[in-house]
Amino acid sequence: MASYTYTALTPAGKQTKGTISADNREDALTRLRGNGVTVINLGEAGVLNQEVSVSFLQKKPKPREMAIFCRQMVSILSAGVSMNDALLMLEEQTENKLLQEAIVGCRKQIEGGSSLAEAMSQYKVFPSIFCTMVAAGEESGSLDLSFDRMADRFEKDSKLKGLIKKATTYPIVVAIVAIVVVVVMLTFIVPKFEDILGSLGTDLPGLTKAVVSISHFVQAHIVLILLVLIAIIVGIKLYQRTEGGRHVIDNMKLRAPLFGKLTTKTACANMARTLSTLLASGVPMLNAIEITANTMGNIHFKEALLEVKTEVAVGTELSEALRRTRLFPPLVYHMAGIGEQTGDLVGMYGKIADYYDEEVQQTTEQVMAALEPMIIVLLAAIVGTIVISLLLPMASMYGALENI
């Protein structure tokens, strides 16, 4: 098959460009017209003008983009538009390449007789919870409601990730700046002062000797130090991909000062929101717990929920199974118990999710408030030590001159 580049007008009058594969030019023209566009220009793609797709450089759609996709789908389906036409409209509006390719693939599979859920399950951009919700919506005839619930979940997920990113960005940036400042001082400023201090002809204080020695080491082994740091980072990443490594690192995240509570509350918010969404859509309890477990970022919470699924399968109440994990806070299983007694487990978990969303926001603000002064004090201590080590010999010299 050959590749052809085209310029066309959508039914809405918007100009679009792209590449299409076809047996010949007539076949490409037929396919484009079948998509409802008016072809302005169509030519065989060459090496220079062929659209290049590099999968490893393409970014997965963010939760916010997925939320927009769901909201658009709700609006289009509510207007009575067929699924095939709805996907065609979204295909033209979606900017994320991976999501766009998935929408195109889903539309073609639906034309071949597949259901939307079956088609979506073939693409990684649609998580398992998404496919399950769509399948439930297709079975119940409330597909627009399923997309609406998924939009809510993606929006909450986007907000949580934004809060966590806010909490971690500041200390990372300050740490990088601190490292750069220290390296610059040790490689450029300290050597210049060393020549001046050497001309004094006096014995240098111990602190000054230590800083000068560190400066010599950094200058002589700067490349080696960078390679070691890179090796450590890569090693940690590779170690985290192993089963044992992930357990160790995720356990450290749970026990880390300041960030440990944030990790737990974020996991509880995600668990409650996902479970509530699935149960509200009619997904069976055991399936809902398993899907929720697979959405957990921390492996300890994932394994805990899989244990919960096993216990619920043999007749244990969900609240009791959650309590036995000794990982979830008391509020989670107490609220689950109330939901079981009142028959409103979905509503209770919705309230738990809302509660922990607020807790994550408050904890993030507390972490930021605690980290800012700590980092500033640490940076001031490091830089101050270097500066004092350079000023001590001069102070000793001036003191000696005054005694003459």
Side-chain angles (χ1 to χ4, degrees), residues 55-100:
S55 59
F56 67 88
L57 292 179
Q58 294 178 343
K59 295 182 179 180
K60 290 182 64 176
K62 299 178 180 179
R64 182 61 182 168
E65 293 175 314
M66 294 300 294
I68 293 173
F69 167 76
C70 291
R71 293 295 184 201
Q72 290 175 328
M73 183 66 83
V74 171
S75 299
I76 295 172
L77 293 178
S78 299
V81 179
S82 67
M83 180 57 67
N84 190 66
D85 291 338
L87 291 174
L88 181 60
M89 293 179 187
L90 292 174
E91 171 189 329
E92 296 169 352
Q93 298 175 20
T94 303
E95 295 181 359
N96 185 279
K97 291 296 182 183
L98 287 179
L99 181 57
Q100 186 181 58

Side-chain angles (χ1 to χ4, degrees), residues 139-366:
E139 291 178 4
S140 62
S142 56
L143 193 56
D144 55 343
L145 182 59
S146 293
F147 276 108
D148 188 53
R149 286 172 175 160
M150 283 306 303
D152 290 337
R153 185 186 182 280
F154 280 125
E155 287 171 353
K156 294 288 185 180
D157 189 28
S158 176
K159 182 179 179 180
L160 280 177
K161 288 185 176 180
L163 288 171
I164 296 172
K165 184 177 181 180
K166 178 182 177 182
T168 56
T169 298
Y170 178 80
I172 290 174
V173 171
V174 174
I176 293 174
V177 171
I179 292 172
V180 171
V181 169
V182 172
V183 170
V184 169
M185 293 188 71
L186 292 175
T187 55
F188 293 99
I189 298 177
V190 172
K192 291 182 179 179
F193 272 87
E194 184 182 0
D195 296 335
I196 299 174
L197 297 176
S199 64
L200 297 178
T202 59
D203 188 30
L204 299 177
L207 180 61
T208 305
K209 290 180 179 179
V211 171
V212 170
S213 297
I214 294 174
S215 175
H216 289 167
F217 179 81
V218 171
Q219 291 178 72
H221 304 92
I222 185 65
V223 176
L224 179 61
I225 293 173
L226 291 175
L227 291 176
V228 169
L229 290 175
I230 294 173
I232 291 174
I233 294 172
V234 173
I236 292 174
K237 292 290 185 182
L238 294 176
Y239 180 61
Q240 191 174 11
R241 293 181 181 179
T242 65
E243 190 71 16
R246 188 176 176 190
H247 278 85
V248 171
I249 293 176
D250 282 358
N251 185 56
M252 292 173 62
K253 291 179 180 178
L254 288 174
R255 298 179 181 276
L258 298 179
F259 285 96
K261 291 184 178 180
L262 182 60
T263 300
T264 299
K265 291 177 180 179
T266 301
C268 290
N270 177 53
M271 183 274 291
R273 182 72 60 194
T274 303
L275 200 57
S276 174
T277 302
L278 289 169
L279 294 177
S281 299
V283 178
M285 173 67 76
L286 294 181
N287 292 346
I289 296 174
E290 182 177 1
I291 294 170
T292 302
N294 291 327
T295 65
M296 304 303 289
N298 191 292
I299 194 170
H300 295 287
F301 281 98
K302 177 180 178 179
E303 292 176 345
L305 284 176
L306 291 177
E307 291 176 5
V308 168
K309 177 194 171 185
T310 301
E311 293 198 25
V312 172
V314 296
T316 305
E317 290 187 344
L318 177 61
S319 57
E320 177 62 18
L322 288 171
R323 185 189 66 80
R324 290 179 183 177
T325 64
R326 297 183 179 181
L327 188 61
F328 294 96
L331 178 66
V332 174
Y333 50 80
H334 285 324
M335 292 288 282
I338 295 173
E340 289 168 337
Q341 293 174 6
T342 60
D344 187 23
L345 195 58
V346 172
M348 282 300 169
Y349 269 99
K351 293 179 180 178
I352 293 174
D354 292 337
Y355 170 79
Y356 277 109
D357 284 342
E358 295 180 3
E359 281 291 298
V360 169
Q361 182 174 356
Q362 293 178 3
T363 304
T364 300
E365 294 173 354
Q366 292 172 0

